Amino acid sequence: METIVTIISIILLLPLLSVPVLLFIGIKKWKRPKVNFPTYLMIGLIITAVISGTFAWWADYSDQLLMIHYGYDFDAMNDTDRFENVVLQNLERVKQLEIGYFGIGWPLQAIMTFVFYSPFLVIVYLVGHLITKAKRKNKEHAPNNG
């Protein structure tokens, strides 16, 4: 179960890292210089918000799934009853999951991910723009084979 949760988390993390690069390439192919950055930023922020929200929700939901898998009882009235069905070797793991699950909620995690991730969009755009300029400059200075 832990492996499945980790695989799904990685699958959700990969788009978060690759979308800015793919979006930059797509915007550059569109060939409208005046709307490059605003369009890139607007579309990037929307996609980032959706992926960040999904990633934060999954992190919360996967903790809940793992806790149920290990035998944690959400409906119990006290700690003794909650951990009654948890095997002793999994007790520490379930306690860690419980702390994470009842800590900061997933909406706030999504907002914080979005806030800290948003500068990555700008950095990818600036680096991509510099690379594009360097390639264009090298192409102009290359001798023609005519």
Side-chain angles (χ1 to χ4, degrees):
M1 186 68 157
E2 293 262 354
T3 306
I4 294 170
V5 167
T6 303
I7 290 170
I8 293 173
S9 295
I10 290 171
I11 289 172
L12 288 173
L13 184 63
L14 289 176
L16 201 57
L17 298 174
S18 63
V19 160
V21 175
L22 297 174
L23 185 61
F24 177 79
I25 292 168
I27 293 292
K28 284 297 178 185
K29 287 185 179 184
W30 195 23
K31 303 269 188 192
R32 292 200 178 188
K34 288 188 178 186
V35 294
N36 273 348
F37 183 70
T39 304
Y40 169 82
L41 192 60
M42 184 178 65
I43 294 171
L45 289 174
I46 291 169
I47 292 172
T48 300
V50 171
I51 295 173
S52 296
T54 304
F55 188 72
W57 171 83
W58 171 251
D60 186 65
Y61 184 69
S62 66
D63 286 350
Q64 183 181 1
L65 284 177
L66 287 172
M67 291 166 69
I68 291 169
H69 174 72
Y70 287 129
Y72 185 85
D73 185 8
F74 283 96
D75 297 326
M77 297 299 278
N78 58 34
D79 283 344
T80 306
D81 292 341
R82 282 189 197 107
F83 294 103
E84 184 177 27
N85 298 326
V86 177
V87 179
L88 189 58
Q89 65 188 21
N90 297 330
L91 190 60
E92 192 62 36
R93 175 70 175 131
V94 173
K95 285 184 180 181
Q96 288 174 347
L97 288 169
E98 182 186 42
I99 290 169
Y101 181 76
F102 290 115
I104 297 174
W106 71 265
L108 185 57
Q109 288 177 356
I111 291 169
M112 294 308 293
T113 301
F114 181 74
V115 167
F116 287 115
Y117 178 81
S118 296
F120 181 63
L121 288 168
V122 176
I123 291 169
V124 167
Y125 185 85
L126 292 175
V127 169
H129 190 65
L130 290 174
I131 290 171
T132 304
K133 267 189 171 180
K135 282 184 178 180
R136 192 176 304 136
K137 188 181 265 188
N138 286 341
K139 200 177 220 183
E140 289 174 1
H141 294 301
N144 290 338
N145 295 336

